[in-house]
Amino acid sequence: MNVLSTLVFTQPVLHGYFRSSCSWRVRIALALKGIEYDQVAVNLIKDGGQQLTHEYKTLNPMQQVPAVEIDGITLSQSLAVIQYIDETRPGPRLLPSEPKKRAQVRMISDLIASGIQPLQNLHVIQKIGAEKVQWAQHFIHRGFDALEPMLKQTAGKYCVGDELSMADICLVPQVYNAERFKVDMSMYPTIQRLNQSLLEVEAFQVSHPSCQPDTPAELRA
């Protein structure tokens, strides 16, 4: 029996924050797959951080966003959510079927999701204090210095060849963060080119932080 045939599919509920890069990754994946979902805003700043409440901790013990309720389970790591969606829903593949390309997609995604983004997320930045911009710039540069030559080897129209993948889903939010921290992107022409191409894709536009229900009015597109 096909395992998928035993699953009861439900409309996902995404608990996230408009400017969270991890939440944005999930929004992009859902949009690429054409999956309708509900959003519950978790404001990371208001009331001392709504992710720190006991109620939210039951959804995500790490008290981070996103948390996604889907098919009777709750998932709380963006790459795990994306891979689950890819394995259970029809639509364009987010990980290539060919093993070498799939490994490249995972390599790029992990570099961003583990090697860059956590070092400049809100919890870390709040601990750094006055030097937060310099801290973020340092670790984004360090990651992009590795990512740029890597992408020169793997990229076609997108991060790995000419098909959209989880690597692209990770790239765009990280470039958005780099621009927020005023990183000089002229040093990374391949990253810039890919980001510009991806921002022309509808799924990346509708999921953008400027277009979410919890986006403050002054930041809306």
Side-chain angles (χ1 to χ4, degrees), residues 142-154:
R142 183 174 182 271
F144 279 7
D145 285 346
L147 186 60
E148 174 71 16
M150 188 181 294
L151 290 172
K152 284 182 179 179
Q153 296 294 319
T154 65

Side-chain angles (χ1 to χ4, degrees), residues 37-58:
Y37 62 99
D38 296 319
Q39 290 201 58
V40 177
V42 180
N43 194 304
L44 302 185
I45 300 171
K46 186 178 179 181
D47 303 324
Q50 294 175 348
Q51 75 279 16
L52 302 178
T53 65
H54 175 74
E55 180 183 13
Y56 185 73
K57 189 176 182 179
T58 63

Side-chain angles (χ1 to χ4, degrees), residues 166-184:
M166 185 169 67
D168 302 294
I169 291 171
C170 290
L171 181 70
V172 170
Q174 185 55 60
V175 174
Y176 175 84
N177 283 346
E179 292 171 345
R180 281 183 59 217
F181 286 109
K182 303 186 187 310
V183 169
D184 180 7

Side-chain angles (χ1 to χ4, degrees), residues 25 111-128 131-140 142-143 174 177 181:
R25 292 173 197 156
L111 187 155
I112 295 169
S114 299
I116 307 177
Q117 183 271 324
L119 292 163
Q120 32 88 48
N121 69 15
L122 180 63
H123 178 73
V124 173
I125 290 298
Q126 287 175 333
K127 295 291 185 182
I128 297 302
E131 302 297 318
K132 64 182 181 181
V133 173
Q134 294 91 328
W135 169 278
Q137 288 177 343
H138 171 79
F139 285 105
I140 293 170
R142 183 174 182 271
Q174 185 55 60
N177 283 346
F181 286 109

Side-chain angles (χ1 to χ4, degrees), residues 18 24 27 176 199 203-212 215:
F18 78 101
W24 189 3
R27 294 196 302 263
Y176 175 84
L199 287 175
F204 289 79
Q205 294 173 354
V206 300
S207 60
H208 194 277
S210 64
C211 303
Q212 302 314 303
T215 305

